[in-house]
Amino acid sequence: MTNNKKVELLAPAGDMERLETAIKFGANAVFLAGDSFGLRANAKNFDKEELIKAVKLAHDNNVRVHVTMNILPHDDDMTGLVEYLEFLDSIKVDALIISDPGIFSLAKEHTDIDLHISTQASVTNSATVKFWHDMGAKRVILARELSFEEIKEVKKNAPEDMEIECFIHGAMCISYSGRCLLSNYMTGRDANRGDCAQSCRWKYSIQEETRPGEYYPIEEDGKGGTFIMNSKDLCLIDEIDKLIEAGIDSFKIEGRMKTAFYVATVIRSYRQAIDSYYAGTFNDEVAKKYYDEIRKASHRHFTKAFFYNKPDSSAQIYENSSYIRNYDFIGTVLDYDKETKIATIEQRNRFFLGDKIEIFSNSPDFYELEIDNMKNKKGEDIEVANQPKEEIFIKIDLPLEKGDMLRRKIEK
C-alpha cells in the first residue's frame, strides 16, 4: 500500500526551548502537555500562557500541535477538565491525545479538535481501530507491541480516513503499552496519572525474608544484582522505507523529558532520512549515516523491539541503566554576523581554545573545525568557556543560523 501524502514526523516538546528546536530541525508536528492530564508530570510542560505562545509559534511555522491528555483518570482527576478542553479549543490546538473513554467523550462534546487515541489505549488490532473510528477518532497511535506485519495489516484494514501513527524511536516500557503499576506499588507515584518513577530501570536483588540484609544476585552480571526490566531503546531509522510504503501516516519520536540537544540530533536525523526516501536516495548507507548521527546524542543501546519478532533477552540491558554519551553539547548559536563572521555562542558545557568541534544545523551534513579564537562579552581573549550559559564570541567563516548547535567528541 502506498500513501500519497508524505509521512508526518512528530517530535516531543517538553518546554519552549525544545519546541523551538523541534521546529528548526524539521518536525511536521509536536506533541506536548499542559499542566494537567498528561503522562509526563515531571516534564516542565506548558502553562496556559505558554500554550498560547507555543501554538502561535508552531502554526507560524506550519507545524501542528498535539496536546497529550492521556492519563487514566480517577474522578478527582477530572476537576477542571471541561474548562481546559474549551481553552484548548479556543487556542486552536490541532489534536488531543487521549486514552480514556471518559475524556474522549467530553472532548468530543466540548471541542472541534481532532482526537487521537493514545498508545496507552493498547490498540493492537483492526477491530479496535474501526471501533475508535466509529466513535469519532481521527487517528490511532498503535501499541508498541506490534510487529511490522501486524502494523501493515492494521493499516490495510483501517477505514480510509483513519490515520495510523506508530512509534519509531525512543524509550521502551517493560509494561504493555506503558500501563504500569510498578511505580505505584514501589513509590506511591502513579505512572498512569503522569508520575512514573522509572522503577523498571532500577537494580534488583533477592532477599530471603528470614535473612534481612543478605542480598542474593539474580544471575545476569554476577555482581550482586541485575537490571532485569531495563529495555534498550527503539530505533527504526533503517526501516522507514518499509513503514512509509505500508502507508503509515505519522512517525512518533518519544522523549518529552529529553534535552534540546537530543531533540535536535534525533529529529534532524529522521528528517534527513525521510527526505532522502522521498528524493529516491534512501539506502543502507544513508540509514547508517543518520544512525551514527543519532548515537551522538545521549542514548541507551538500541533495539528493533517487536518489529520483526517478539523481543528476547538481547533487547534488554542487564548490566546497568546508564546512558551512553559519546559527545558533549557545548553550545548553541544565538546570532551570526555575516559581515564580521562573528558567531555569538551560548555556552552549555565547558570547552577550550584548540578544541576540535562539530557544528550542525538542519542540513544533511555537519561541519568540523578547530576553535582558534574566543572572546568574552568584554572583548577579552579567553582560553576556556566555563561559565554556564555565558555568551562567547568566535569568528567562524562558515555561515551559521540561530539555533545551530556545537558538539565535541568525548575522548575516552
Side-chain angles (χ1 to χ4, degrees):
M1 177 178 181
T2 301
N3 189 347
N4 293 324
K5 185 175 68 173
K6 288 186 177 182
V7 70
E8 173 187 84
L9 180 58
L10 178 57
D15 60 17
M16 191 63 78
E17 180 189 19
R18 283 169 278 186
L19 170 64
E20 293 170 352
T21 301
I23 292 171
K24 174 180 173 63
F25 286 92
N28 303 114
V30 295
F31 64 102
L32 50 81
D35 292 333
S36 306
F37 310 109
L39 278 177
R40 289 292 181 271
N42 294 316
K44 289 184 180 178
N45 295 325
F46 294 76
D47 61 26
K48 286 186 175 181
E49 289 302 314
E50 289 170 330
L51 278 172
I52 293 170
K53 293 176 183 176
V55 171
K56 184 179 187 309
L57 175 65
H59 287 176
D60 285 348
N61 288 276
N62 297 314
V63 171
R64 288 168 53 87
V65 177
H66 304 179
V67 174
T68 61
M69 301 185 67
N70 52 349
I71 64 168
L72 302 179
H74 296 223
D75 273 349
D76 56 358
D77 295 316
M78 304 290 273
T79 303
L81 175 62
V82 170
E83 292 81 4
Y84 185 61
L85 287 166
E86 291 173 344
F87 164 73
L88 295 176
D89 196 31
S90 73
I91 64 172
K92 301 189 183 307
V93 303
D94 299 286
L96 303 177
I97 302 172
I98 297 169
S99 59
D100 177 70
I103 292 181
F104 182 93
S105 176
L106 289 169
K108 186 177 174 182
E109 179 182 352
H110 292 278
T111 80
D112 292 316
I113 305 172
D114 288 350
L115 304 182
H116 295 181
I117 304 305
S118 171
T119 190
Q120 295 291 122
S122 303
V123 177
T124 57
N125 62 76
S126 301
T128 306
V129 171
K130 185 178 183 303
F131 166 81
W132 282 114
H133 177 266
D134 293 346
M135 293 296 293
K138 174 74 172 178
R139 177 184 294 186
V140 163
I141 306 163
L142 295 179
R144 278 172 269 200
E145 293 78 18
L146 294 182
S147 70
F148 174 56
E149 292 302 320
E150 290 173 314
I151 292 170
K152 277 201 302 185
E153 190 68 15
V154 167
K155 179 59 183 176
K156 184 179 77 173
N157 295 331
E160 189 173 343
D161 59 343
M162 177 59 119
E163 296 176 354
I164 300 296
E165 175 182 315
C166 66
F167 281 88
I168 197 167
H169 193 93
M172 297 289 289
C173 183
I174 195 66
S175 297
Y176 209 95
S177 293
R179 301 179 75 156
C180 179
L181 292 176
L182 279 174
S183 175
N184 202 327
Y185 177 77
M186 293 183 174
T187 69
R189 290 169 52 180
D190 193 338
N192 297 303
R193 297 163 83 182
D195 200 23
C196 182
Q198 299 282 311
S199 305
C200 60
R201 305 289 179 188
W202 298 354
K203 187 175 184 178
Y204 289 90
S205 301
I206 296 174
Q207 177 179 284
E208 202 275 319
E209 66 177 351
T210 64
R211 299 177 182 177
E214 294 186 28
Y215 297 96
Y216 299 86
I218 305 169
E219 294 291 350
E220 292 288 356
D221 64 3
K223 298 176 183 176
T226 181
F227 296 81
I228 56 174
M229 293 176 282
N230 185 38
S231 174
K232 293 180 180 179
D233 284 355
L234 180 67
C235 179
L236 296 178
I237 196 162
D238 57 342
E239 309 288 358
I240 62 166
D241 53 341
K242 299 180 182 66
L243 289 163
I244 292 172
E245 287 160 14
I248 299 307
D249 297 281
S250 180
F251 290 164
K252 189 168 201 165
I253 308 292
E254 181 274 339
R256 280 193 292 125
M257 300 287 287
K258 300 293 178 67
T259 65
F261 178 60
Y262 176 93
V263 171
T265 303
V266 175
I267 294 303
R268 171 180 174 268
S269 298
Y270 278 93
R271 174 78 276 146
Q272 297 302 329
I274 291 167
D275 289 350
S276 175
Y277 171 84
Y278 287 111
T281 58
F282 184 78
N283 55 27
D284 291 345
E285 184 179 345
V286 170
K288 175 67 163 55
K289 173 182 177 177
Y290 292 113
Y291 175 80
D292 289 343
E293 280 293 293
I294 286 170
R295 294 172 66 243
K296 293 180 180 180
S298 179
H299 64 282
R300 299 183 183 95
H301 291 291
F302 291 126
T303 176
K304 292 185 188 295
F306 293 82
F307 197 76
Y308 286 118
N309 312 100
K310 182 179 178 181
D312 57 20
S313 59
S314 66
Q316 300 295 111
I317 312 169
Y318 295 120
E319 295 81 14
N320 60 67
S321 61
S322 302
Y323 283 91
I324 301 164
R325 217 174 106 212
N326 298 318
Y327 279 74
D328 277 332
F329 170 36
I330 62 171
T332 186
V333 176
L334 297 179
D335 188 40
Y336 183 79
D337 188 317
K338 292 181 180 179
E339 292 186 6
T340 64
K341 299 183 179 180
I342 299 294
T344 305
I345 310 296
E346 183 179 83
Q347 184 261 28
R348 292 302 179 92
N349 277 293
R350 185 175 61 170
F351 60 94
F352 297 85
L353 196 68
D355 276 351
K356 294 178 180 178
I357 68 169
E358 296 176 1
I359 301 176
F360 68 98
S361 184
N362 52 4
S363 57
D365 297 305
F366 63 87
Y367 305 93
E368 298 176 296
L369 61 88
E370 182 175 324
I371 299 176
D372 59 9
N373 68 95
M374 286 199 299
K375 294 183 183 294
N376 60 21
K377 287 188 94 170
K378 296 178 181 178
E380 301 167 333
D381 291 325
I382 57 174
E383 294 187 357
V384 58
N386 57 3
Q387 301 300 316
K389 292 196 172 184
E390 68 175 320
E391 290 186 10
I392 304 297
F393 302 87
I394 305 175
K395 186 172 183 180
I396 299 174
D397 289 336
L398 174 74
L400 301 178
E401 296 179 354
K402 181 179 180 181
D404 291 354
M405 292 191 174
L406 286 65
R407 64 193 179 201
R408 178 190 55 206
K409 188 172 183 179
I410 298 172
E411 300 298 334
K412 298 181 180 179

